[in-house]
Amino acid sequence: QVQLVESGGGLVQAGDSLRLSCAASGRTFSSYDMGWFRQAPGKEREFVAAVSRKGSITSYADSVKGRFTISRDNAKNTVYLQMNSLKPEDTAVYYCAAGSFAGLSLRGDYWGQGTQVTVSS
């Protein structure tokens, strides 16, 4: 089992940057593809980005491509989401997930509790 704890969310202005972190417990972190999802108020949870076990393959939602970068450090059991040029429509609770690639998305087997990102205009 993997426990995931997100951090790094906050309130920023449009155009600013944030870096989210997700720390995983256990010694099997490198066995999982990792990803980020988000859920805005009144909307369904949506895929944001995913990274393969060794970090060599990444996938992004079209809405964040070119602005967000996902990466991982297996030595630190941590996955990151660097978010640049933030827009008000990026406002959501961001969730970290551990699982496996499903096409260009991720099937999450384990989920974190989420961290709030709010982007003001």
Side-chain angles (χ1 to χ4, degrees):
Q1 190 168 348
V2 178
Q3 292 185 328
L4 305 171
V5 179
E6 303 95 336
S7 62
L11 172 63
V12 297
Q13 293 187 334
D16 286 350
S17 298
L18 273 178
R19 189 176 80 155
L20 304 183
S21 299
C22 173
S25 64
R27 288 180 279 183
T28 60
F29 176 75
S30 61
S31 299
Y32 294 95
D33 299 322
M34 298 295 298
W36 290 93
F37 290 74
R38 67 187 182 185
Q39 186 167 20
K43 295 187 177 182
E44 293 187 353
R45 185 175 61 195
E46 64 174 0
F47 169 75
V48 175
V51 60
S52 60
R53 290 163 176 75
K54 294 185 178 181
S56 58
I57 300 172
T58 57
S59 178
Y60 297 93
D62 287 343
S63 58
V64 306
K65 203 170 292 184
R67 299 188 298 123
F68 290 11
T69 302
I70 188 170
S71 61
R72 66 189 296 163
D73 185 336
N74 286 345
K76 295 183 177 179
N77 281 10
T78 302
V79 62
Y80 305 97
L81 185 68
Q82 178 67 43
M83 305 186 294
N84 298 330
S85 301
L86 282 162
K87 304 176 181 180
E89 50 263 43
D90 294 318
T91 295
V93 178
Y94 283 70
Y95 298 91
C96 174
S100 57
F101 265 98
L104 296 178
S105 184
L106 185 88
R107 186 197 70 215
D109 295 323
Y110 302 100
W111 295 85
Q113 294 300 307
T115 185
Q116 177 70 48
V117 173
T118 303
V119 184
S120 63
S121 57

